Every structure is written in C-alpha cells, then in structure tokens.
C-alpha cells in the first residue's frame, strides 16, 4: 500500500523531536541504540514493541545482543521515512523509559 514519505522539513522536525535518534546516512531511516539493565529487560522491551508493531502493522529492523538493542525505522512501502516511523519511534521512547533504558 502506498504510504506518503515525509518531506525534508517533516524529517527535520521529527529528528528535533527525537534527539536520541539519528538519521541514517542515506536519509531513508532513523536509528537508535538502547542499553538496558540486562537481557531480560531488553527482551521485555522488545516484546512490548513487537506487540505495538503488529498492532500498527509497522515493524522495526533491529538487532539485540544481551542488554543492547539497535533499532532502525524506515517505511519499506514508502522507500523512506513516513509518519509511521515517527509514531513507532515515540512508542519506543515511552517503552524504553518504562524499562529505564538509556
Ligand atoms: C503487508 C504489510 O501490511 C506491509 O508489508 C507492512 C508491514 N510492516 C511494515 N513495516 C515497515 N517498517 N514498513 C513497511 O512498509 C511495512 N509494511
């Protein structure tokens, strides 16, 4: 399904709102690394995000080793960033804070 890509100003606004996220070099994704107290906390966070991803039909690209989770958000159907990435990033920030990640 076609999804509208964010404009340049919208991308900049999103990054300003989410200071812990970085724009990927190619400008097509935002990235964030999170560290939790331990693996169980990290995986519990990932479980919460996975449930939200399935509910919103918008899924992260992520890597986990022990207490570290590296997340990349992009919208494949838009070949870049869309509002869905912003929405999921905001959810991730809330879930990370609840798991007291840094
Ligand atoms: C068929 C299904 O609705 C689509 O493939 C969804 C699934 N999850 C998705 N996740 C992300 N990150 N981008 C998409 O374009 C996307 N599309």
């Amino acid at each position: 399904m076609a999804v509208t890509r964010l404009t340049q100003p919208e991308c900049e606004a999103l990054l300003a709102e989410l200071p812990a996220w970085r724009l990927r070099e190619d400008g097509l994704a935002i990235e964030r690394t999170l560290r939790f107290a331990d693996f169980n906390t990290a995986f519990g966070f990932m479980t919460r995000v996975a449930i939200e991803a399935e509910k919103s039909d918008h899924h992260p690209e992520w890597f986990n080793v022990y207490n570290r989770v590296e997340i990349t958000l992009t919208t494949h159907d838009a070949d870049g960033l869309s509002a869905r990435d912003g929405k999921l990033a905001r959810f991730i920030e809330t879930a990370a804070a609840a798991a007291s990640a840094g």
Side-chain angles (χ1 to χ4, degrees), residues 57-59 74-77:
D57 193 31
H58 193 70
H59 303 82
T74 187
T75 302
H76 307 121
D77 296 341

Side-chain angles (χ1 to χ4, degrees), residues 1 3 53-54 56-61 72-80 82 84-85 88:
M1 183 186 86
V3 183
E54 196 55 19
S56 59
D57 193 31
H58 193 70
H59 303 82
E61 298 171 10
T72 298
L73 298 180
T74 187
T75 302
H76 307 121
D77 296 341
D79 294 322
S82 76
R84 297 179 183 184
D85 298 305
L88 186 53

Side-chain angles (χ1 to χ4, degrees), residues 17-18 20-21 30-36 41-42 44-53 56 58-63 69-74 84-102:
E17 182 201 334
L18 299 164
W21 292 76
I30 53 173
E31 300 176 323
R32 165 116 157 89
T33 296
L34 291 149
R35 281 176 185 74
F36 296 88
T41 312
F45 159 82
M46 293 177 77
T47 303
R48 283 191 68 189
V49 173
I51 292 165
E52 175 62 22
S56 59
H58 193 70
H59 303 82
E61 298 171 10
W62 48 5
F63 168 83
V69 182
E70 295 175 2
I71 306 176
T72 298
L73 298 180
T74 187
R84 297 179 183 184
D85 298 305
K87 186 168 185 286
L88 186 53
R90 289 182 203 99
F91 179 88
I92 285 168
E93 289 307 294
T94 306
S100 59

